Amino acid sequence: MSTEVRMPRTGASQDSGESGPPPRHIAVIADGNRRWARGRGLAVADGYRAGAERVVDLVGWCDGLGVHIATVFLVSARNLEHRPADELAPMLEAIAALPQAVRHRHGWTVRAVGDSGALPGHLQSPLGRLNPPVDADARRVVNLAVGYDGHREILHAARQASAPGHTANPDDITVHLYNGALPAPDLIVRTAGEHRLSGFMLWQSFDASLHFCDALWPDFQRADLVDAVTHHQTQQRTFGL
Protein backbone atom coordinates (compact mmCIF):
# COMPACT_ATOMS: atom_id res chain seq x y z
CA MET A 1 0.00 0.00 0.00
CA SER A 2 1.33 3.42 -0.86
CA THR A 3 0.35 7.02 -0.31
CA GLU A 4 1.15 9.66 -2.87
CA VAL A 5 1.50 13.39 -3.24
CA ARG A 6 -0.93 14.12 -6.07
CA MET A 7 -0.51 17.44 -7.79
CA PRO A 8 -3.21 19.01 -9.94
CA ARG A 9 -2.82 18.32 -13.62
CA THR A 10 -3.03 20.84 -16.41
CA GLY A 11 -4.44 20.24 -19.87
CA ALA A 12 -5.47 16.59 -19.38
CA SER A 13 -8.29 14.98 -17.45
CA GLN A 14 -7.65 12.41 -14.76
CA ASP A 15 -9.67 9.90 -16.80
CA SER A 16 -7.98 10.57 -20.14
CA GLY A 17 -5.61 7.63 -19.81
CA GLU A 18 -2.73 9.78 -21.04
CA SER A 19 0.69 8.56 -20.03
CA GLY A 20 4.06 10.20 -20.38
CA PRO A 21 7.48 8.57 -20.73
CA PRO A 22 9.09 6.81 -17.77
CA PRO A 23 11.27 9.00 -15.58
CA ARG A 24 14.83 9.11 -16.75
CA HIS A 25 16.18 9.53 -13.22
CA ILE A 26 14.59 8.08 -10.09
CA ALA A 27 15.85 8.96 -6.61
CA VAL A 28 14.91 6.77 -3.64
CA ILE A 29 15.09 7.43 0.10
CA ALA A 30 15.55 3.83 1.24
CA ASP A 31 14.03 4.00 4.72
CA GLY A 32 12.90 1.32 7.17
CA ASN A 33 15.74 -1.20 7.41
CA ARG A 34 15.89 -1.10 11.23
CA ARG A 35 12.12 -1.32 11.65
CA TRP A 36 12.04 -4.26 9.25
CA ALA A 37 14.63 -6.15 11.28
CA ARG A 38 13.13 -5.37 14.67
CA GLY A 39 9.65 -6.32 13.51
CA ARG A 40 10.99 -9.77 12.67
CA GLY A 41 13.04 -10.20 15.82
CA LEU A 42 16.26 -9.99 13.82
CA ALA A 43 19.48 -8.10 14.40
CA VAL A 44 19.65 -4.63 12.90
CA ALA A 45 22.53 -5.86 10.76
CA ASP A 46 20.13 -8.26 9.03
CA GLY A 47 17.95 -5.30 8.09
CA TYR A 48 20.87 -3.47 6.50
CA ARG A 49 21.90 -6.56 4.55
CA ALA A 50 18.33 -7.05 3.31
CA GLY A 51 18.17 -3.38 2.38
CA ALA A 52 21.41 -3.61 0.41
CA GLU A 53 20.06 -6.58 -1.53
CA ARG A 54 16.97 -4.56 -2.36
CA VAL A 55 19.18 -1.82 -3.85
CA VAL A 56 20.64 -4.41 -6.23
CA ASP A 57 17.10 -5.48 -7.14
CA LEU A 58 16.07 -1.86 -7.69
CA VAL A 59 18.79 -1.35 -10.29
CA GLY A 60 17.50 -4.32 -12.27
CA TRP A 61 13.91 -3.09 -12.06
CA CYS A 62 14.97 0.35 -13.27
CA ASP A 63 16.79 -1.24 -16.19
CA GLY A 64 13.65 -3.13 -17.19
CA LEU A 65 11.42 -0.05 -16.93
CA GLY A 66 13.61 2.19 -19.07
CA VAL A 67 14.94 4.27 -16.17
CA HIS A 68 18.51 5.27 -16.94
CA ILE A 69 19.72 6.74 -13.62
CA ALA A 70 18.98 5.86 -10.00
CA THR A 71 20.15 7.66 -6.88
CA VAL A 72 19.63 5.86 -3.57
CA PHE A 73 19.90 7.65 -0.22
CA LEU A 74 21.51 5.08 2.07
CA VAL A 75 23.07 6.94 4.98
CA SER A 76 23.11 10.60 5.91
CA ALA A 77 25.95 12.60 7.41
CA ARG A 78 23.85 12.88 10.58
CA ASN A 79 23.51 9.09 10.72
CA LEU A 80 27.28 8.82 10.69
CA GLU A 81 27.58 11.40 13.45
CA HIS A 82 24.88 10.14 15.82
CA ARG A 83 24.28 6.42 15.39
CA PRO A 84 26.15 4.01 17.67
CA ALA A 85 29.26 2.39 16.31
CA ASP A 86 27.87 -1.15 16.66
CA GLU A 87 24.99 -0.17 14.38
CA LEU A 88 27.04 1.79 11.87
CA ALA A 89 29.56 -1.01 11.30
CA PRO A 90 27.13 -3.52 9.69
CA MET A 91 25.38 -0.72 7.78
CA LEU A 92 28.63 0.44 6.20
CA GLU A 93 29.78 -3.13 5.59
CA ALA A 94 26.61 -3.79 3.59
CA ILE A 95 27.06 -0.55 1.63
CA ALA A 96 30.71 -1.30 0.87
CA ALA A 97 29.69 -4.58 -0.81
CA LEU A 98 27.08 -2.90 -3.03
CA PRO A 99 29.25 -1.57 -5.89
CA GLN A 100 30.63 -4.98 -6.79
CA ALA A 101 27.19 -6.62 -6.47
CA VAL A 102 25.54 -4.04 -8.74
CA ARG A 103 28.27 -4.21 -11.37
CA HIS A 104 28.35 -8.02 -11.31
CA ARG A 105 24.59 -8.50 -11.61
CA HIS A 106 23.59 -5.57 -13.82
CA GLY A 107 26.69 -3.93 -15.27
CA TRP A 108 25.69 -0.41 -14.23
CA THR A 109 28.21 2.31 -13.44
CA VAL A 110 28.30 2.87 -9.66
CA ARG A 111 29.11 6.23 -8.11
CA ALA A 112 29.26 7.35 -4.47
CA VAL A 113 27.84 10.81 -3.77
CA GLY A 114 28.16 12.64 -0.48
CA ASP A 115 30.89 13.75 1.87
CA SER A 116 33.42 10.93 1.76
CA GLY A 117 35.36 12.71 4.49
CA ALA A 118 32.54 11.93 6.91
CA LEU A 119 33.08 8.18 6.43
CA PRO A 120 35.31 6.01 8.62
CA GLY A 121 38.89 6.01 7.39
CA HIS A 122 38.85 2.50 5.93
CA LEU A 123 35.92 3.43 3.63
CA GLN A 124 37.03 6.92 2.57
CA SER A 125 39.32 5.65 -0.15
CA PRO A 126 37.18 2.81 -1.63
CA LEU A 127 33.98 4.85 -1.76
CA GLY A 128 35.73 8.13 -2.48
CA ARG A 129 37.13 6.64 -5.69
CA LEU A 130 33.63 5.77 -6.94
CA ASN A 131 33.23 8.97 -8.88
CA PRO A 132 33.73 8.16 -12.57
CA PRO A 133 33.06 11.02 -15.00
CA VAL A 134 29.53 11.21 -16.38
CA ASP A 135 27.75 13.54 -18.75
CA ALA A 136 24.17 14.68 -19.23
CA ASP A 137 23.46 11.77 -21.60
CA ALA A 138 24.72 9.07 -19.25
CA ARG A 139 22.76 5.83 -18.94
CA ARG A 140 22.78 2.93 -16.52
CA VAL A 141 24.27 4.89 -13.63
CA VAL A 142 23.45 4.34 -9.95
CA ASN A 143 24.51 6.88 -7.34
CA LEU A 144 24.86 5.66 -3.76
CA ALA A 145 24.27 8.62 -1.42
CA VAL A 146 26.52 7.89 1.56
CA GLY A 147 27.43 10.49 4.16
CA TYR A 148 24.99 12.75 2.35
CA ASP A 149 23.56 16.08 3.53
CA GLY A 150 21.65 18.37 1.17
CA HIS A 151 22.73 21.57 2.92
CA ARG A 152 26.38 20.55 2.77
CA GLU A 153 26.01 19.67 -0.91
CA ILE A 154 24.74 23.15 -1.78
CA LEU A 155 27.46 24.82 0.31
CA HIS A 156 30.10 22.64 -1.35
CA ALA A 157 28.80 23.56 -4.82
CA ALA A 158 28.65 27.27 -3.98
CA ARG A 159 32.23 27.24 -2.70
CA GLN A 160 33.43 25.44 -5.83
CA ALA A 161 31.55 27.85 -8.09
CA SER A 162 33.00 30.90 -6.34
CA ALA A 163 36.59 29.62 -6.31
CA PRO A 164 39.19 31.51 -8.38
CA GLY A 165 38.61 30.97 -12.08
CA HIS A 166 34.87 30.32 -11.70
CA THR A 167 31.89 32.62 -12.00
CA ALA A 168 29.32 32.23 -9.22
CA ASN A 169 26.08 31.69 -11.13
CA PRO A 170 23.38 29.00 -10.86
CA ASP A 171 24.74 27.01 -13.80
CA ASP A 172 28.17 26.77 -12.18
CA ILE A 173 26.60 25.73 -8.87
CA THR A 174 24.64 22.98 -10.60
CA VAL A 175 27.67 21.34 -12.19
CA HIS A 176 29.40 21.27 -8.80
CA LEU A 177 26.61 19.34 -7.08
CA TYR A 178 27.47 15.76 -6.19
CA ASN A 179 25.63 14.40 -9.24
CA GLY A 180 27.59 16.73 -11.51
CA ALA A 181 26.35 16.79 -15.09
CA LEU A 182 23.63 14.19 -14.51
CA PRO A 183 20.06 15.45 -14.87
CA ALA A 184 17.99 16.12 -11.76
CA PRO A 185 15.59 13.37 -10.68
CA ASP A 186 12.17 13.31 -12.28
CA LEU A 187 10.73 11.23 -9.44
CA ILE A 188 11.65 10.90 -5.76
CA VAL A 189 10.33 7.90 -3.82
CA ARG A 190 10.44 7.51 -0.06
CA THR A 191 9.59 4.26 1.69
CA ALA A 192 8.46 3.34 5.22
CA GLY A 193 5.51 5.76 5.38
CA GLU A 194 7.55 8.88 6.07
CA HIS A 195 6.43 12.03 4.23
CA ARG A 196 9.52 14.22 4.14
CA LEU A 197 12.73 14.58 2.13
CA SER A 198 15.12 14.74 5.12
CA GLY A 199 17.45 17.09 3.27
CA PHE A 200 17.73 14.83 0.22
CA MET A 201 18.59 16.52 -3.09
CA LEU A 202 17.26 19.88 -1.94
CA TRP A 203 18.48 21.72 -5.03
CA GLN A 204 17.63 18.99 -7.56
CA SER A 205 14.12 18.18 -6.27
CA PHE A 206 12.68 21.49 -7.49
CA ASP A 207 10.52 19.95 -10.26
CA ALA A 208 10.44 16.31 -9.13
CA SER A 209 7.29 14.28 -8.56
CA LEU A 210 7.07 12.89 -5.03
CA HIS A 211 5.77 9.43 -4.15
CA PHE A 212 5.55 8.06 -0.60
CA CYS A 213 5.24 4.32 -0.06
CA ASP A 214 4.28 2.55 3.17
CA ALA A 215 6.49 -0.49 2.52
CA LEU A 216 9.65 -0.73 4.58
CA TRP A 217 12.64 -0.66 2.26
CA PRO A 218 13.54 -4.39 2.46
CA ASP A 219 9.88 -5.16 1.63
CA PHE A 220 9.82 -2.81 -1.39
CA GLN A 221 8.84 -4.72 -4.52
CA ARG A 222 8.91 -4.15 -8.25
CA ALA A 223 5.15 -3.53 -8.08
CA ASP A 224 5.78 -0.63 -5.68
CA LEU A 225 8.24 0.88 -8.13
CA VAL A 226 5.78 0.41 -10.99
CA ASP A 227 3.12 2.21 -8.91
CA ALA A 228 5.46 5.16 -8.39
CA VAL A 229 6.46 5.31 -12.06
CA THR A 230 2.84 5.04 -13.20
CA HIS A 231 1.81 7.87 -10.90
CA HIS A 232 4.65 9.99 -12.25
CA GLN A 233 3.62 9.25 -15.84
CA THR A 234 0.09 10.53 -15.22
CA GLN A 235 1.35 13.90 -14.02
CA GLN A 236 1.73 16.75 -16.49
CA ARG A 237 4.64 18.88 -15.37
CA THR A 238 4.34 22.33 -16.93
CA PHE A 239 7.55 23.80 -15.43
CA GLY A 240 5.70 27.07 -14.84
CA LEU A 241 4.47 27.44 -18.43
Side-chain angles (χ1 to χ4, degrees):
M1 177 181 178
S2 64
T3 56
E4 301 159 352
V5 172
R6 294 189 177 273
M7 304 300 292
R9 300 178 62 202
T10 303
S13 74
Q14 291 286 352
D15 299 324
S16 67
E18 294 180 17
S19 179
R24 184 176 176 207
H25 181 178
I26 288 180
V28 179
I29 303 172
D31 194 16
N33 297 306
R34 291 190 297 177
R35 275 180 275 168
W36 182 89
R38 289 166 178 164
R40 286 162 174 74
L42 302 172
V44 170
D46 294 319
Y48 292 132
R49 283 190 285 267
E53 181 62 28
R54 190 59 71 233
V55 173
V56 180
D57 292 335
L58 174 75
V59 172
W61 299 335
C62 286
D63 217 356
L65 291 171
V67 176
H68 301 314
I69 303 165
T71 298
V72 188
F73 193 7
L74 296 173
V75 54
S76 71
R78 286 189 291 182
N79 292 151
L80 295 175
E81 291 164 1
H82 299 299
R83 295 222 176 149
D86 60 348
E87 185 175 313
L88 281 175
M91 176 198 297
L92 295 173
E93 180 183 350
I95 291 170
L98 268 176
Q100 182 177 353
V102 169
R103 287 191 293 255
H104 174 73
R105 194 179 304 180
H106 303 298
W108 279 40
T109 296
V110 183
R111 303 173 72 247
V113 296
D115 180 7
S116 61
L119 292 168
H122 70 287
L123 291 177
Q124 287 181 14
S125 180
L127 290 177
R129 287 198 302 266
L130 288 176
N131 193 24
V134 288
D135 59 34
D137 297 320
R139 293 172 177 253
R140 305 183 84 226
V141 175
V142 59
N143 303 297
L144 306 179
V146 182
Y148 180 89
D149 180 289
H151 288 164
R152 296 183 192 182
E153 178 180 28
I154 293 171
L155 288 171
H156 164 81
R159 291 186 184 112
Q160 293 294 315
S162 60
H166 293 275
T167 301
N169 62 55
D171 288 338
D172 283 337
I173 289 175
T174 298
V175 300
H176 290 297
L177 295 171
Y178 294 144
N179 271 356
L182 293 176
D186 305 291
L187 169 64
I188 298 177
V189 178
R190 181 166 187 156
T191 61
E194 302 293 346
H195 290 209
R196 60 183 183 274
L197 293 179
S198 297
F200 184 47
M201 304 192 88
L202 295 176
W203 184 285
Q204 304 95 321
S205 62
F206 186 77
D207 282 312
S209 300
L210 305 179
H211 182 97
F212 300 104
C213 177
D214 288 338
L216 302 175
W217 175 241
D219 286 330
F220 190 81
Q221 300 296 319
R222 183 180 185 278
D224 297 309
L225 181 63
V226 170
D227 283 347
V229 169
T230 300
H231 172 241
H232 169 80
Q233 289 177 298
T234 62
Q235 307 305 300
Q236 183 171 353
R237 297 190 298 168
T238 65
F239 303 101
L241 300 176

